[in-house]
């Protein structure tokens, strides 16, 4: 379900999908995906509202997607043999994600 959350970074109310909720000392914190900005953010539970029905029908500007037939790679280092090879990985490296985001900008 899509909600409306206040983004401190953007200084405005945005439509968002809630990814996860966790309890902190001062209340609940929500991890959200902003569907019109393709950004992830954290907001306190006091900054979330129910989206009015008419606005829920507007299509999202951003969609989660994956690169077709692109698998993550990583550098495997063998200190015993003093070699380094690029091979498959289970997840994308943080450096690769940052590089891809810079390319998109």
């Amino acid at each position: 379900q899509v909600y409306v959350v206040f983004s401190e970074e953007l200084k405005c109310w945005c439509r968002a999908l809630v990814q996860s909720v966790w309890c902190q000392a001062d209340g609940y914190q929500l991890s959200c995906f902003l569907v019109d900005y393709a950004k992830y953010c954290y907001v306190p539970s006091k900054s979330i509202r129910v989206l009015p029905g008419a606005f829920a029908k507007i299509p999202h500007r951003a969609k989660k997607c994956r690169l077709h037939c692109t698998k993550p790679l990583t550098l495997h280092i063998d200190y015993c043999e003093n070699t380094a090879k690029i091979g498959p990985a289970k997840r994308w490296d943080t450096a690769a994600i940052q590089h891809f985001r810079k390319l998109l900008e």
Side-chain angles (χ1 to χ4, degrees), residues 13-25:
W13 289 91
C14 309
R15 294 185 302 163
L17 293 170
V18 176
Q19 302 289 312
S20 62
V21 179
W22 67 95
C23 185
Q24 291 188 325

Side-chain angles (χ1 to χ4, degrees), residues 76-95:
H76 297 282
I77 299 173
D78 188 347
Y79 292 105
C80 297
E81 296 181 18
N82 200 23
T83 60
K85 297 178 184 175
I86 293 179
K90 293 180 181 177
R91 302 180 55 133
W92 288 99
D93 291 340
T94 304

Side-chain angles (χ1 to χ4, degrees), residues 2 4 15 51-60:
V2 180
V4 179
R15 294 185 302 163
L51 185 65
F55 292 105
K57 295 177 183 174
I58 299 172
H60 304 166

Side-chain angles (χ1 to χ4, degrees), residues 1 6 12 29 80 91:
Q1 180 172 342
F6 186 78
C12 66
Q29 191 80 2
C80 297
R91 302 180 55 133

